[in-house]
């Protein structure tokens, strides 16, 4: 007599590989945190007496702005896309000038110790002046909103670029300088083969800090300057008309654009300096 053995049907356990887990964490965790923050915000607006609208009310009151960001009725009556685009244009011009001047001066200051000792106190004093404090000076000197806004961006963004570039030049290993002297490298070869590659990580650090400061500066400048298209003036105009929901929506746009600018600079840095990837 044979006893039939029962076959046990087993299924292999389903497991995620590490890369998939990391990808899911990178997607799901921020989404979960965002929904948690929105839920907390909505609850607080219900249980705490306040004029601040909750997320549902913000969406309801700004539905037109959300659905039609590209509308243009002339003057300053434009959709949020054009408001942000105008601000970004100013940032691009002012930031470019700040990068060119900041890197050039940073190299000169980093190479010349006497020049560094003379200018460092001035740089450290000027870099602590808030962007808004430069606005009346810029308006008084330049008389027009557009060049004044560009100057505020420039004077705000230049300092981290200049200071980090100078530090990077000073941090060039002495061995590299010794080799350059032994080989009697021409100044042009020393500049492109030793100085720039060595200082580039510091330069990118300054550029990344500066792009965030430039974006903050133009928002502050546009709030003060009236009658121009820009996200800063949009916020001030909404405040004057007691449209709190529009202010909150504009803040979301500002945060997203700032985040994208920072990630763009990080991507550019990783493309040029792959060893800087974390």
């Amino acid at each position: 007599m044979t006893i039939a053995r029962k076959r046990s049907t087993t299924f292999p356990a389903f497991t995620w590989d590490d890369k998939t887990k990391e990808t899911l964490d990178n997607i799901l965790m921020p989404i979960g945190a965002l929904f948690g923050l929105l839920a907390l915000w909505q609850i607080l607006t219900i249980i705490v007496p306040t004029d601040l609208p909750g997320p549902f009310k913000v969406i309801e009151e700004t539905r037109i702005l959300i659905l039609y960001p590209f509308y243009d009725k002339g003057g300053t009556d434009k959709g949020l896309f054009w408001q942000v685009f105008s601000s970004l244009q100013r940032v691009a011009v002012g930031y470019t000038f700040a990068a060119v001047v900041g890197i050039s001066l940073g190299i000169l200051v980093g190479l010349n110790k006497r020049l560094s000792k003379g200018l460092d106190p001035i740089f450290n004093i000027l870099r602590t002046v808030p962007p808004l404090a430069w606005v009346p000076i810029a308006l008084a000197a330049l008389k027009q909103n557009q060049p004044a806004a560009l100057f505020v961006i420039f004077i705000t963004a230049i300092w981290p670029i200049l200071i980090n570039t100078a530090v990077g030049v000073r941090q060039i290993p002495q061995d590299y300088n010794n080799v350059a002297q032994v080989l009697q490298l021409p100044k042009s070869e020393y500049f492109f083969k030793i100085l720039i590659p060595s200082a580039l990580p510091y330069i990118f650090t300054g550029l990344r800090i500066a792009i965030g400061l430039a974006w903050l500066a133009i928002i502050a400048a546009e709030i003060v300057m009236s009658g121009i298209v820009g996200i800063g003036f949009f916020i001030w105009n909404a405040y004057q008309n007691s449209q709190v929901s529009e202010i909150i929506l504009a803040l979301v746009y500002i945060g997203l654009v700032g985040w994208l600018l920072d990630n763009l600079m990080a991507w550019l840095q990783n493309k040029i300096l792959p060893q800087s990837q974390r």
Side-chain angles (χ1 to χ4, degrees):
M1 179 177 169
T2 59
I3 300 174
R5 295 181 179 177
K6 292 183 178 180
R7 267 186 201 176
S8 59
T9 306
T10 58
F11 297 95
F14 181 78
T15 57
W16 300 102
D17 59 82
D18 291 340
K19 188 175 181 180
T20 304
K21 286 181 181 179
E22 184 180 357
T23 303
L24 288 174
D25 282 344
N26 291 338
I27 296 173
L28 296 179
M29 292 305 293
I31 292 175
L34 176 62
F35 277 103
L37 179 63
L38 292 175
L40 179 62
W41 175 15
Q42 184 66 44
I43 292 170
L44 288 175
T45 56
I46 295 173
I47 63 177
V48 179
T50 178
D51 293 332
L52 188 69
F56 289 115
K57 189 175 181 181
V58 169
I59 294 172
E60 179 185 350
E61 293 181 347
T62 61
R63 183 177 65 256
I64 301 301
L65 289 172
I66 295 172
L67 294 177
Y68 302 100
F70 300 100
Y71 83 85
D72 185 353
K73 296 183 179 179
T76 59
D77 189 7
K78 300 179 187 293
L80 281 171
F81 172 82
W82 299 114
Q83 304 285 355
V84 171
F85 183 70
S86 296
S87 297
L88 282 174
Q89 283 182 308
R90 298 184 185 101
V91 168
V93 175
Y95 178 78
T96 300
F97 277 109
V100 172
V101 175
I103 292 172
S104 302
L105 276 178
I107 291 172
L108 288 176
V109 170
L111 289 174
N112 192 316
K113 291 183 179 180
R114 296 184 69 184
L115 189 63
S116 175
K117 289 179 181 179
L119 294 179
D120 269 356
I122 299 174
F123 293 158
N124 284 309
I125 291 171
L126 292 178
R127 74 181 180 86
T128 60
V129 178
L132 271 177
W134 289 108
V135 175
I137 297 295
L139 287 172
L142 301 172
K143 307 297 183 183
Q144 295 180 1
N145 285 338
Q146 184 73 0
L150 296 179
F151 174 79
V152 171
I153 297 168
F154 170 83
I155 202 68
T156 304
I158 190 174
W159 307 119
I161 300 173
L162 192 159
I163 292 170
N164 278 277
T165 301
V167 171
V169 172
R170 295 190 197 111
Q171 295 298 320
I172 295 175
Q174 188 58 41
D175 290 344
Y176 292 3
N177 293 324
N178 293 338
V179 170
Q181 290 177 357
V182 170
L183 297 177
Q184 296 182 345
L185 286 180
K187 289 184 178 180
S188 59
E189 287 191 36
Y190 174 80
F191 183 83
F192 288 108
K193 292 185 177 180
I194 293 180
L195 189 149
I196 290 296
S198 299
L200 208 52
Y202 293 88
I203 294 173
F204 265 108
T205 299
L207 290 172
R208 192 169 175 183
I209 295 171
I211 192 66
L213 292 177
W215 182 236
L216 295 177
I218 190 56
I219 303 304
E222 288 174 350
I223 286 176
V224 176
M225 298 173 184
S226 59
I228 60 174
V229 178
I231 193 67
F233 177 72
F234 176 88
I235 289 175
W236 179 248
N237 188 56
Y239 170 75
Q240 295 283 64
N241 293 290
S242 300
Q243 296 168 330
V244 181
S245 293
E246 292 189 5
I247 296 174
I248 293 173
L249 179 62
L251 293 179
V252 172
Y253 269 77
I254 290 170
L256 287 174
V257 171
W259 176 71
L260 288 173
L261 289 175
D262 182 70
N263 278 272
L264 177 63
M265 289 303 302
W267 175 83
L268 185 61
Q269 180 178 357
N270 291 335
K271 284 294 181 182
I272 297 176
L273 299 170
Q275 69 272 18
S276 68
Q277 294 185 17
R278 295 186 294 273

